[in-house]
Amino acid sequence: MAEKVRVLIPEEDVNKKISEIAAQISRDYEGRPIHLVCVLKGGVFFTCELAKRLTVPVSLDFMSVSSYGGGTESSGVVRIVKDLDEPLEGKDVLIVEDIIDSGRTLAYLIEILKQRGPASIHLCTLLDKPERRVKKQVKVDYTCFSIPDEFVVGYGLDYDQKYRNLPYIGVVEF
Ligand code: IMP
Ligand code: MG
């Protein structure tokens, strides 16, 4: 293994921030059920931790899109690998992502999901790399951490399918 992982955001800080964001979302959606759309695979750890802390009724669905190959650069090509199981008609949808980088994945995803008639669509991400944004129209409603332009792993994020299970956010040093 040529690369090393340095801790960027410790586990306790990640969990504390998720609790704060969950409380804010629960206040914003007071009295309304939320339909969480988890973007696989990276979003799965964050989605579970977030869902456990929400106090409004929650339903969950999963979608898998691919925009990255095995490396660290976006290909710009986004395709649906696994679609949602449930219709979105009339639902208050909250898309849950691991990280927003160029914004290409989300720009594409939001466009397709909007066509399915949800009552609303909002976006929640564990990490954001604002410096890297190409799709400026992507508006993030809830961000746990804005981070510098470094390649990170852990809490669902991978490098070549490795390190998703780390309970903290780390930077890969090559
Ligand atoms: P975007 O389409 O460029 O915004 O890329 C979004 C996707 O790229 C994320 O959902 C991740 O799967 C992946 N990605 C972007 N930056 C990183 C990173 O630093 N570590 C791991 N995956 C990343
Ligand atoms: Mg992702």
Side-chain angles (χ1 to χ4, degrees):
M1 189 191 309
E3 70 275 359
K4 283 201 172 115
V5 179
R6 162 172 59 84
V7 178
L8 179 68
I9 311 171
E11 184 175 5
E12 310 82 85
D13 296 12
V14 180
N15 291 337
K16 183 165 171 276
K17 182 57 98 175
I18 295 175
S19 296
E20 289 168 16
I21 293 285
Q24 192 189 334
I25 294 171
S26 299
R27 280 195 299 275
D28 293 352
Y29 284 79
E30 178 103 58
R32 283 188 293 154
I34 302 185
H35 189 63
L36 295 181
V37 168
C38 169
V39 186
L40 295 170
K41 304 171 186 167
V44 76
F45 289 73
F46 177 41
T47 301
C48 295
E49 293 304 317
L50 182 72
K52 288 196 286 186
R53 292 164 170 86
L54 292 172
T55 56
V56 291
V58 168
S59 52
L60 274 175
D61 206 347
F62 299 87
M63 189 160 187
S64 181
V65 293
S66 124
S67 68
Y68 273 71
T72 64
E73 268 304 310
S74 175
S75 64
V77 179
V78 180
R79 72 191 166 92
I80 296 182
V81 177
K82 183 220 172 289
D83 206 341
L84 298 171
D85 294 333
E86 312 285 336
L88 297 183
E89 188 85 49
K91 291 177 185 162
D92 287 307
V93 171
L94 183 62
I95 302 175
V96 186
E97 255 287 21
D98 52 354
I99 188 164
I100 302 177
D101 188 25
S102 70
R104 285 190 187 100
T105 311
L106 261 298
Y108 172 81
L109 203 59
I110 289 169
E111 279 320 303
I112 354 177
L113 299 188
K114 264 187 190 164
Q115 293 164 19
R116 301 183 186 183
S120 66
I121 292 198
H122 290 90
L123 176 56
C124 178
T125 188
L126 179 61
L127 303 170
D128 188 7
K129 288 186 196 170
E131 289 166 41
R132 298 260 305 170
R133 196 78 84 255
V134 174
K135 296 283 184 183
K136 308 281 184 198
Q137 76 271 26
V138 173
K139 192 179 130 290
V140 191
D141 301 285
Y142 304 97
T143 303
C144 290
F145 301 97
S146 286
I147 59 165
D149 180 13
E150 289 184 290
F151 196 81
V152 290
V153 292
Y155 232 96
L157 292 130
D158 73 302
Y159 169 64
D160 244 347
Q161 299 304 324
K162 292 179 291 187
Y163 309 119
R164 290 193 195 274
N165 61 313
L166 297 179
Y168 54 86
I169 309 292
V171 173
V172 181
E173 295 180 332
F174 297 97

